[in-house]
Amino acid sequence: MHVPDGFLDAPTSVATGAVAVVAVGVSLRKAREELDDRTAPLAGLVAAFIFATQMLNFPVAGGTSGHLMGGAIAAVLVGPWTGVLATSVVFLVQCLLFADGGITALGTNIVLMGVTTVVVGWFVFRGVQAVLPRTTAMVPVAAGIGAFVSVPVAALLFVGLYAVGGAADIPLGQLTGAMVGVHVLIGLGEGVITFLAVGSIIAVRPDLVHGARSVLKTRTLEVRTAGAAA
Amino acid sequence: MSVPVLDVQGLAYAYPDGHQALFGVDLHVHAGERVALLGPNGAGKTTLVLHLNGILVAGQGSVSVSGLPVEKKHLAEIRRRVGIVFQDPDDQLFMGTVRADVGFGPANLGLSGAALDARVMDALDKVGMTEFADRPPHHLSFGQRRRVAVATVLAMEPEILVLDEPSSNLDPASRRELADILRSLDVTVLMVTHDLPYALELCPRSVVLSDGHVVADGATYDVLTDDALMRANRLELPFGFDPRTIDAGLLPVATRGRGSDTLPG
Amino acid sequence: MGGAHGHQLHFHGHSPVHRAPAHLKIVALVVFMLVVVATPRGWWPAYAAYLAVLLAVVATSRVPPTYLLKRMVVEVPFVFFALLLPFVATGPETEFLGLTVSESGLHAGAKLLVTATLGVIASLTLAATTEPQALLRGLTRLRMPALLVQIMGFMVRYLEVVTDELRRMKVARESRGFSARDPRHWPVLARSFGALFIRSFERGERVHLAMLSRGYTGKMPS
């Protein structure tokens, strides 16, 4: 569900566009520091992965279905910087190659569903991780909570943007209530699926999960000492 | 004897997680040879291949290419000299068009304009794919993609062509076409494969890698007919295939430096 | 020539719209839509003019209108929203088709409907007449950072490879009698996502190795 052209007025669209440009610009530099010359192929493949997961609908209830936004899971799997790059490129490609989401709303879509879900997902993930025991088993839990929170926050921001640059005077209280209510449900799906998906990755390739690195480090060292002694 | 194109001595390597994959590999390949590298899954073949152009760095021992040791400061030149064709052409063909893909390597070497274009078309010509130059690689058939993958490496004018499972997933016709192409190339070849008939058809010499070291090195015919060696290393000929029944005149002849039957270790 | 070249939306052709440089088309799209969005509601003649311009471009491109029409479904959720607006918005009320609705909501809904429709047609026309590779070159000319162009290039290149993998997993699941009907099936879907991520990431690493093997040092040859 990408925001189309005309949903927000021109000044708001230009402003969110500027925010998106800054966020992507900073992420480009930071991701490059982290991944070096692996940035392009890895971020590109992660973007293709997010695109594919957004294609697959999961059934919610009563015949309705939703799909992952993917910002939080991207942040946990590849880190916030690469996460912002990958999700932003997904929206760029969807807009230019698939006419999904308006060109003037590109900045809005990147900020709402890319940057916001990645950043909120990441900070909540780190916050929860700091509280929970430092084990790999807790990584999917923190990821799921991050994903769950990220969705209604993005919905709230959407209401905020609509209040500033929306076309009609909808009673904001009602809109907020409806949007947040619906998105708590969607967020539940996003959270559970993120929890399960990150769990399945941790079980096979914990080394690939960016958000598990701090937990893994101690373990890797032990293995190395054992290998050297053998 | 001349300096070997590929000179691997006592190569040992352990992955960062502690798993050791190579335990002292010795391998020498001379100019113009076509050598098959055989071995069961997990023998360390891919790990060895990744050392040949410096993607992995030797834990012990050494690798040199035409006398140039594989070290960080020589990497650019080493990667020009050693052309690796990976198993999945989708990993190798990452650009938007066949032309851009084949040109990627030479352009990194500093070629541009007409020289680059000539190099690209020459490489595509060698694999019979010139008419596909402006197509996106992902719209070619698997066999065509494998051929373009070979071209991407040939465009670097390597001294040795390293192929990882070149015949995998090919239908019989594509498999034969690729064999014809490989035979027509005037380049040293190291071919990692499970396809024993393919090894016999193309490579006069075979090296068997097992548990991270070389257990046999000799004429492909001799290796494939050594039943004890074959059994010990989980190498099996396909049903109905017996090298002994093949007309000796059809077997490839070593151009130079036929391998010796040394068993190291 | 094979029909299967280009991506899902590209409609092969040689019209002037197809041949126009991609960077100009992108700029034209952005400027056109900004103008449309900035046009005050109620200026209906202006909107009629925009639509006429757009239809002229579509006609020149010789992309069949039915081809575009079928792909306009992406707009549907917002059509609902636009239809809902007159009933939920506040302010002075008016009569419309025998219903009492909010005046500002009616206008806002109508404007949203028109603008979003113009936007979808314009974007579809760009996508239908421009090859992804041309689009990437256009973005480069428009000074999009090289690294971002590279990432987008890799995404476009591997989109089909990755979605095919997902499709094969779905076929494998359904061959064994599984179809996702309610939340009890989430674990299975989530495992597919996990497997897909691992495959995608590992492919990224292999692509990186293949690039290094051909002399890549972080900059794409132009």
Side-chain angles (χ1 to χ4, degrees), chain B residues 216-239:
Chain B
D217 184 345
T220 305
Y221 181 86
D222 297 341
V223 169
L224 297 194
T225 51
D226 185 338
D227 294 335
L229 174 76
M230 295 280 282
R231 249 195 317 279
N233 295 293
R234 287 183 61 81
L235 294 172
E236 270 181 32
L237 294 166
F239 178 75

Side-chain angles (χ1 to χ4, degrees), chain B residues 167-189:
Chain B
S167 61
S168 64
N169 293 319
L170 292 184
D171 59 38
S174 309
R175 181 175 174 277
R176 182 193 45 76
E177 282 163 7
L178 185 68
D180 292 342
I181 289 166
L182 293 177
R183 247 194 306 266
S184 74
L185 297 174
D186 182 25
V187 61
T188 311
V189 170

Side-chain angles (χ1 to χ4, degrees), chain C residues 112-124:
Chain C
L112 172 60
L113 202 57
V114 171
T115 323
T117 307
L118 287 173
V120 171
I121 298 175
S123 304
L124 280 173

Side-chain angles (χ1 to χ4, degrees), chain B residues 148-262:
Chain B
V148 174
V150 173
T152 62
V153 169
L154 288 179
M156 307 274 287
E157 300 190 339
E159 291 176 15
I160 180 166
L161 187 60
V162 180
L163 301 142
D164 194 356
E165 298 289 353
S167 61
S168 64
N169 293 319
L170 292 184
D171 59 38
S174 309
R175 181 175 174 277
R176 182 193 45 76
E177 282 163 7
L178 185 68
D180 292 342
I181 289 166
L182 293 177
R183 247 194 306 266
S184 74
L185 297 174
D186 182 25
V187 61
T188 311
V189 170
L190 179 69
M191 184 170 108
V192 177
T193 189
H194 286 295
D195 187 342
L196 301 178
Y198 217 51
L200 184 66
E201 188 186 342
L202 285 168
C203 302
R205 176 183 158 204
S206 284
V207 174
V208 180
L209 196 67
S210 187
D211 286 331
H213 61 273
V214 173
V215 293
D217 184 345
T220 305
Y221 181 86
D222 297 341
V223 169
L224 297 194
T225 51
D226 185 338
D227 294 335
L229 174 76
M230 295 280 282
R231 249 195 317 279
N233 295 293
R234 287 183 61 81
L235 294 172
E236 270 181 32
L237 294 166
F239 178 75
F241 177 81
D242 185 355
R244 293 179 190 87
T245 61
I246 288 173
D247 182 356
L250 291 174
L251 294 179
V253 189
T255 44
R256 184 136 74 95
R258 198 178 177 106
S260 53
D261 280 294
T262 49

Side-chain angles (χ1 to χ4, degrees), chain A residues 180-218:
Chain A
V180 173
V182 169
H183 283 87
V184 163
L185 282 181
I186 297 177
L188 218 53
E190 178 111 6
V192 173
I193 297 214
T194 300
F195 161 73
L196 293 167
V198 172
S200 78
I201 296 166
I202 290 263
V204 193
R205 290 290 306 270
D207 55 313
L208 291 192
V209 180
H210 184 280
R213 276 191 202 163
S214 57
V215 193
L216 277 182
K217 237 166 220 158
T218 45

Side-chain angles (χ1 to χ4, degrees), chain A residues 1-2 4-5 7 32 37-38 40 45 49 51-53 59-60 96-98 167-171 189 196 205 208, chain C residues 9 33 41 77-78 81 85 88 90 108 119 127 135 150 152 159 166 181 183 186 190 193 197 200-202 208 216 218:
Chain A
M1 258 226 337
H2 296 13
D5 289 303
F7 207 75
R32 179 122 225 185
D37 58 4
R38 297 191 305 156
L45 260 305
F49 159 75
F51 184 92
T53 59
V60 183
L96 289 178
L97 265 64
F98 294 88
D169 321 308
I170 303 180
L196 293 167
R205 290 290 306 270
L208 291 192
Chain C
L9 272 182
M33 283 321 298
R41 60 172 93 145
F78 288 90
F81 188 83
L85 269 181
V88 296
T90 53
L135 217 46
Q150 280 186 41
M152 190 174 158
L159 209 50
L166 191 65
R181 278 178 309 271
W186 285 358
F193 287 151
F197 172 75
S200 304
F201 196 91
E202 286 180 341
H208 178 245
Y216 178 70

